[in-house]
Amino acid sequence: MAGAVIENLSNQKLSYILGILFLVQIAFFLVGAWLAPKPTSSMEFLFRSCIDANVTGRNWVDHQNCHEIELAEHKPLSYDLREIVFMTQMPHKRDNQQLRYHPSFQFLLGVMQPEIRSTAAFKYVRGSKLRLEVRMGARSGGDEKWRDWIEADVVRELDCHFPWGHESGDMRCEALDFFEIGYVPFPFYVMNIRIPIDREGCARDPKNTANCDVGELVGLIMVVIHQNGGFTMVWAWMKTIVVPFLFLTVRWYWDRVQSLARPPLLLEKAIFALGVSTTVLDLPIEWLPLWFERVPFMLLLGDLRQGLFYAVLCSFWLIFAGEHLIDDPTRNNLKSYWRNLSLVGSAGVALLVYDMCERGMQLSDPFYSIWSSSTGTKLAYLSIYLATLFTVIYFSFLFYKIWMVWKLIKQKRSNQYYQNNESRRLKVEAIIFRFKFLMLFTLLCAFLTILSYAMKQHGEAQLHDDEPQESLLTNSTSAFFTGTFGMWNIYVFLLLSMYAPSHKQYAGAQHLMDETEKPNCTFAPSHKQYAGAPVNPKIASQRLNPNIVEITGESVNLAADDTTFP
């Protein structure tokens, strides 16, 4: 890219810019470490066993009207046990104060932990299905009555086993992925669950009838995870402050590219696409739940934005390294990168399938989960692991491409191409040093991006595991996430500002030319002493120094300060 700012900026100005950006990067880490709480928190709820004489299930059972019973001592009042209602209210009270959910919590994710006992009368059979009739109600702060919100029939496959050395009694069951709601519009919620038994179906086909061979149900425990409101506000304000600066930088960069007398190069288009995708990622949509009551698409929209940014960023890195292989004849042609970009596309498709199966279906049914069956769980893990494998392969390939560029630069420096002009040699050495610094920053950014992606995917898988409270997303990782977010924006800002066309059109060395290149040369006289004077081609050719040429289309212009004419 001839005439880029990175090649013409003075060392002093570049040092100031890098110093400021380094302080900004530290600030991003400190915001996560000092101001932001941990990303998510969890609450554990124990369902109470209540009796509801109205077996139609249209009455709400809450803490005030729950007639609690002991399941082991209960005598059935109906043929299918529909009078038993498992009830819980969310959130808890703490220190005699009723807690409230807030729209800034962004989402609610529930994981169910059934307590099963296997006896001679109620025997558990591996792979049996548990069917739950779920009603979820909500109310605002000033409401006295619960309003109907969500109703669903939930079927989950039980996976229980006896503790070591036992053959009967209490069993340990794997956690069941229960629900995920992508917005929190109400402060209070109540959940009523009935587990009816179809006795005729159990007698006829117990294997394919739910609630038959599930053993004796002792109780239900649910862990509900939500994003911390403090983290959401820090995240939203951070994006609100960053996005105007990045938007103006992207616009300034593209205006400079379009002002050139040639079409934009592939690398310039790639940098612009990266700037646009980062701006989309920075849009503070976290404010939407605070302004609008119904925004169930927040999780899906967030995943799509993140996926778009990852795809563009990874594609850019391949193009960035490839376009700096200056001896490669396939440069400036997107088709020549199809093998490289197919790896990025494969990982993106794997994640897109997972998001459409999980987040897409949850828009209409929050109790749907790809993790609800053994087959779905295997597909979910397969999708995540494939995407992770493609990511590791991608990083290895990117490292190889950057190593090739590094090796090529070393070869260019080893010859005597620039040694006969001391000022020119120092200029070229400075350009090479700056490019190497940018390449090292690219590798660091790639490593932290992949690490952040792996932590997010692994943490999300842990949320659907037996111990969701131990997930990486529920621990204190705020500083890492805010620091990585800041690094992405700093990296993109640095690319936009450093690779923008410079207004100093004829300053500095522009290309490390191959010794075998023989371009068609024209000569620009000095604007200081000989503006408008005719040029003698013979004299000019004798003074031609290939160290100071700038390729512009089919011609080569000499820097005015490096060439004198008689």
Side-chain angles (χ1 to χ4, degrees):
M1 292 178 59
V5 172
I6 191 174
E7 298 174 348
N8 298 323
L9 197 65
S10 66
N11 291 334
Q12 185 179 16
K13 292 181 179 179
L14 183 61
S15 300
Y16 290 155
I17 293 175
L18 294 180
I20 293 174
L21 293 181
F22 180 71
L23 294 178
V24 172
Q25 178 66 76
I26 294 177
F28 275 107
F29 276 107
L30 294 180
V31 165
W34 290 351
L35 299 181
K38 60 184 180 180
T40 58
S41 293
S42 63
M43 278 189 181
E44 186 174 283
F45 298 89
L46 177 63
F47 281 80
R48 297 173 63 185
S49 305
C50 309
I51 288 294
D52 181 18
N54 185 355
V55 296
T56 60
R58 303 316 303 172
N59 294 334
W60 284 108
V61 179
D62 57 16
H63 285 316
Q64 295 181 356
N65 60 3
C66 172
H67 302 286
E68 193 165 2
I69 62 170
E70 290 291 337
L71 291 176
E73 301 175 357
H74 173 66
K75 295 182 179 180
L77 302 179
S78 63
Y79 189 66
D80 56 2
L81 299 178
R82 291 185 61 86
E83 74 275 7
I84 302 177
V85 178
F86 295 90
M87 181 279 306
T88 191
Q89 286 184 221
M90 304 182 294
H92 284 309
K93 286 185 177 180
R94 181 179 297 168
D95 299 329
N96 295 324
Q97 295 291 328
Q98 178 62 59
L99 302 180
R100 301 163 60 99
Y101 285 120
H102 191 269
S104 63
F105 287 2
Q106 298 289 303
F107 68 88
L108 293 176
L109 187 150
V111 180
M112 182 70 72
Q113 184 76 51
E115 295 182 313
I116 302 292
R117 179 183 298 129
S118 182
T119 63
F122 300 96
K123 190 173 181 60
Y124 165 77
V125 177
R126 186 177 181 84
S128 57
K129 296 180 180 179
L130 182 67
R131 176 175 173 263
L132 310 174
E133 292 183 359
V134 182
R135 290 182 68 208
M136 194 169 181
R139 72 182 184 190
S140 301
D143 296 341
E144 296 182 358
K145 295 183 178 181
W146 297 103
R147 68 175 74 177
D148 293 340
W149 194 39
I150 301 172
E151 294 187 19
D153 279 349
V154 180
V155 179
R156 297 291 187 263
E157 185 176 310
L158 292 177
D159 184 10
C160 304
H161 57 274
F162 290 108
W164 182 259
H166 295 267
E167 296 181 358
S168 64
D170 294 337
M171 307 185 69
R172 177 177 175 82
C173 298
E174 302 293 334
L176 304 176
D177 199 70
F178 195 39
F179 71 88
E180 187 166 10
I181 302 172
Y183 65 122
V184 189
F186 302 103
F188 307 111
Y189 300 89
V190 64
M191 187 173 293
N192 287 181
I193 299 177
R194 299 175 189 264
I195 309 178
I197 298 177
D198 183 3
R199 297 184 184 273
E200 295 181 355
C202 291
R204 182 177 60 254
D205 187 6
K207 184 177 181 180
N208 297 318
T209 304
N211 301 335
C212 292
D213 296 327
V214 298
E216 181 183 357
L217 184 61
V218 178
L220 294 175
I221 299 175
M222 180 175 64
V223 176
V224 176
I225 301 168
H226 63 268
Q227 183 165 303
N228 281 323
F231 180 83
T232 302
M233 300 309 297
V234 170
W235 196 254
W237 276 112
M238 189 169 57
K239 288 187 173 183
T240 304
I241 295 173
V242 168
V243 69
F245 292 98
L246 189 61
F247 173 78
L248 294 176
T249 305
V250 172
R251 183 174 179 178
W252 168 81
Y253 169 82
W254 194 241
D255 287 342
R256 283 211 167 184
V257 170
Q258 288 187 318
S259 66
L260 298 176
R262 57 165 175 78
L265 302 177
L266 176 61
L267 183 56
E268 293 170 338
K269 295 178 181 178
I271 294 176
F272 176 70
L274 179 60
V276 171
S277 65
T278 309
T279 305
V280 172
L281 180 68
D282 288 349
L283 291 176
I285 63 173
E286 287 76 11
W287 296 112
L288 292 179
L290 305 181
W291 299 335
F292 304 99
E293 182 176 331
R294 293 189 59 83
V295 281
F297 52 82
M298 288 295 296
L299 288 178
L300 179 61
L301 182 60
D303 285 349
L304 292 178
R305 292 196 311 164
Q306 193 80 22
L308 174 65
F309 172 75
Y310 280 144
V312 176
L313 181 63
C314 293
S315 300
F316 165 77
W317 281 334
L318 293 175
I319 295 175
F320 180 69
E323 291 299 290
H324 283 88
L325 291 173
I326 57 179
D327 290 333
D328 191 348
T330 63
R331 287 187 302 153
N332 202 34
N333 184 7
L334 185 62
K335 293 181 180 180
S336 61
Y337 293 94
W338 72 268
R339 293 183 180 86
N340 303 341
L341 299 181
S342 61
L343 195 63
V344 178
S346 300
V349 169
L351 290 178
L352 182 62
V353 169
Y354 170 77
D355 276 332
M356 290 296 102
C357 292
E358 181 78 359
R359 309 290 194 208
M361 292 296 295
Q362 287 173 350
L363 293 179
S364 58
D365 182 9
F367 288 88
Y368 170 84
S369 176
I370 194 175
W371 303 84
S372 61
S373 64
S374 57
T375 303
T377 300
K378 291 178 181 178
L379 289 176
Y381 275 117
L382 178 63
S383 176
I384 293 175
Y385 290 155
L386 279 179
T388 305
L389 176 62
F390 289 146
T391 304
V392 173
I393 296 175
Y394 165 83
F395 180 75
S396 302
F397 181 72
L398 177 65
F399 184 84
Y400 167 76
K401 293 277 285 188
I402 293 179
W403 177 78
M404 290 293 294
V405 175
W406 206 284
K407 182 179 178 181
L408 184 60
I409 292 178
K410 185 177 181 180
Q411 292 176 353
K412 293 295 180 181
R413 291 181 60 189
S414 63
N415 57 39
Q416 300 298 319
Y417 206 57
Y418 296 95
Q419 303 304 318
N420 56 353
N421 188 313
E422 182 64 20
S423 62
R424 177 57 48 194
R425 186 186 65 81
L426 294 177
K427 180 69 174 179
V428 172
E429 290 289 338
I431 294 175
I432 292 175
F433 174 77
R434 297 175 187 186
F435 175 75
K436 284 188 173 183
F437 169 80
L438 195 57
M439 277 294 182
L440 288 175
F441 193 13
T442 297
L443 282 177
L444 177 63
C445 186
F447 174 76
L448 292 180
T449 298
I450 292 173
L451 183 60
S452 174
Y453 163 78
M455 289 180 61
K456 184 177 183 299
Q457 296 300 320
H458 183 61
E460 183 170 336
Q462 286 180 314
L463 290 177
H464 302 273
D465 211 341
D466 292 337
E467 300 292 340
Q469 302 95 327
E470 301 300 323
S471 170
L472 291 173
L473 300 182
T474 59
N475 294 323
S476 184
T477 56
S478 301
F480 179 81
F481 287 133
T482 58
T484 304
F485 173 80
M487 181 195 61
W488 289 337
N489 284 274
I490 291 173
Y491 178 73
V492 174
F493 174 81
L494 195 62
L495 287 171
L496 291 169
S497 57
M498 294 294 99
Y499 275 84
S502 174
H503 63 280
K504 301 176 182 179
Q505 299 182 9
Y506 301 102
Q510 306 300 328
H511 276 291
L512 301 178
M513 290 181 53
D514 192 1
E515 293 87 340
T516 60
E517 294 182 12
K518 297 180 180 180
N520 179 26
C521 300
T522 58
F523 307 97
S526 172
H527 62 281
K528 296 179 180 179
Q529 301 177 3
Y530 300 100
V535 179
N536 187 333
K538 182 176 180 181
I539 298 177
S541 62
Q542 293 175 355
R543 297 180 179 271
L544 175 60
N545 187 339
N547 303 339
I548 55 176
V549 296
E550 171 187 272
I551 301 178
T552 307
E554 297 296 330
S555 63
V556 177
N557 296 323
L558 296 180
D561 296 336
D562 295 317
T563 307
T564 57
F565 294 88

